[in-house]
């Protein structure tokens, strides 16, 4: 009788291990996919951040030049040709970078939640 009970326990433990492995493997595959997306978002964020820095300087420089110029015709020309387009691009990039920051936050949350489930499952299966 003891052999049968031990055999059943061993089968149950093996089943738990297989379920655990399947669950953890599935979650890790999902986490890997999310990490790829997160890497792409991070790369795009860096590119947009660099572009935002460029337009920040362009916008700031044109603003300073306008403030130092007295000729209204030249000021208007600078505003139309440089200042307004730089300001528009700068503001668009600022909004875009906020969207990317939100995406980063959300996908980091996915990774944290997956890790949390894996920890809970690991501790549940070791007890």
């Amino acid at each position: 009788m003891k052999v049968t009970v031990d055999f059943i326990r061993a089968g149950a433990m093996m089943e738990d291990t297989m379920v655990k492995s399947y669950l953890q493997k599935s979650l890790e595959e999902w986490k890997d996919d999310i990490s790829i997306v997160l890497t792409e978002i991070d790369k795009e964020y860096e590119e947009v951040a660099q572009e935002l820095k460029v337009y920040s300087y362009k916008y700031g420089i044109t603003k300073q030049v306008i403030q130092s110029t007295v000729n209204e015709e030249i000021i208007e020309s600078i505003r139309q040709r440089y200042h307004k387009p730089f300001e528009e691009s700068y503001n668009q990039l600022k909004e875009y970078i906020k969207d990317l920051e939100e995406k980063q936050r959300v996908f980091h949350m996915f990774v944290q939640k997956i890790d949390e489930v894996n920890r809970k499952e690991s501790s549940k299966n070791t007890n």
Side-chain angles (χ1 to χ4, degrees):
M1 186 75 171
K2 181 174 175 4
V3 172
T4 307
V5 172
D6 287 343
F7 184 71
I8 292 171
R9 281 188 190 148
M13 287 185 350
M14 192 168 96
E15 188 176 310
D16 285 348
T17 302
M18 286 172 41
V19 169
K20 174 183 149 189
S21 298
Y22 178 75
L23 176 63
Q24 286 180 327
K25 183 179 177 185
S26 295
L27 289 174
E28 286 302 318
E29 286 173 359
W30 189 28
K31 182 180 169 183
D32 291 344
D33 183 60
I34 289 170
S35 294
I36 291 168
V37 173
L38 192 51
T39 300
E40 291 170 2
I41 293 168
D42 290 344
K43 181 180 175 188
E44 188 173 2
Y45 179 88
E46 288 304 316
E47 290 170 1
V48 172
Q50 288 177 358
E51 197 67 18
L52 181 62
K53 190 173 184 176
V54 168
Y55 278 98
S56 173
Y57 283 120
K58 287 180 176 183
Y59 176 69
I61 290 168
T62 57
K63 188 174 181 178
Q64 291 172 359
V65 170
I66 288 171
Q67 290 172 345
S68 300
T69 304
V70 289
N71 185 317
E72 284 300 319
E73 189 177 309
I74 295 173
I75 290 173
E76 191 54 35
S77 174
I78 292 170
R79 278 194 181 119
Q80 293 302 316
R81 186 172 184 152
Y82 300 112
H83 192 70
K84 287 180 182 177
F86 293 162
E87 181 179 27
E88 289 172 9
S89 294
Y90 174 77
N91 289 330
Q92 288 172 350
L93 289 167
K94 268 184 17 180
E95 286 302 311
Y96 190 50
I97 211 155
K98 285 180 188 177
D99 291 342
L100 290 171
E101 287 169 347
E102 178 66 6
K103 285 181 183 179
Q104 285 175 320
R105 188 186 69 75
V106 168
F107 281 91
H108 277 292
M109 196 176 356
F110 268 117
V111 170
Q112 289 171 342
K113 297 296 180 184
I114 290 169
D115 288 343
E116 188 178 305
V117 169
N118 272 334
R119 276 192 303 277
K120 286 180 183 177
E121 286 299 317
S122 289
S123 68
K124 197 187 300 183
N125 288 326
T126 56
N127 293 334

